Amino acid sequence: MADHYEAEVNEGGINMANFNRQLNNRWENGWRLARIFEQAGNTIIVWERRGSHEARERVGGRLRRS
């Protein structure tokens, strides 16, 4: 079974050009940025598989219409 979430830690500052590239590459590979936060000077990035998120949204929409 594939992971639903992945997390990574970036020590120190983020190079925005690299981060932008990573966002787009991750999106193309089926991931979305779920959360990003800072702890003790490090950036924690949490990715979520888009397919899982989209499936939840479809189910949620059907439940709301019921």
Side-chain angles (χ1 to χ4, degrees):
M1 182 170 151
D3 293 334
H4 183 82
Y5 292 100
E6 282 188 10
E8 62 185 62
V9 176
N10 181 58
E11 297 179 8
I14 291 179
N15 177 303
M16 292 311 291
N18 288 338
F19 185 57
N20 186 54
R21 216 172 2 263
Q22 184 179 26
L23 284 166
N24 288 311
N25 289 340
R26 286 282 194 151
W27 183 263
E28 289 174 7
N29 290 311
W31 294 89
R32 74 175 194 92
L33 178 63
R35 302 280 186 269
I36 186 167
F37 54 97
E38 181 270 337
Q39 181 179 19
N42 299 315
T43 305
I44 295 99
I45 304 167
V46 180
W47 303 98
E48 180 180 28
R49 282 200 186 277
R50 278 196 344 249
S52 300
H53 175 73
E54 292 164 359
R56 260 197 332 275
E57 290 297 314
R58 283 194 303 276
V59 169
R62 283 195 306 265
L63 292 174
R64 285 189 292 275
R65 288 190 296 271
S66 299

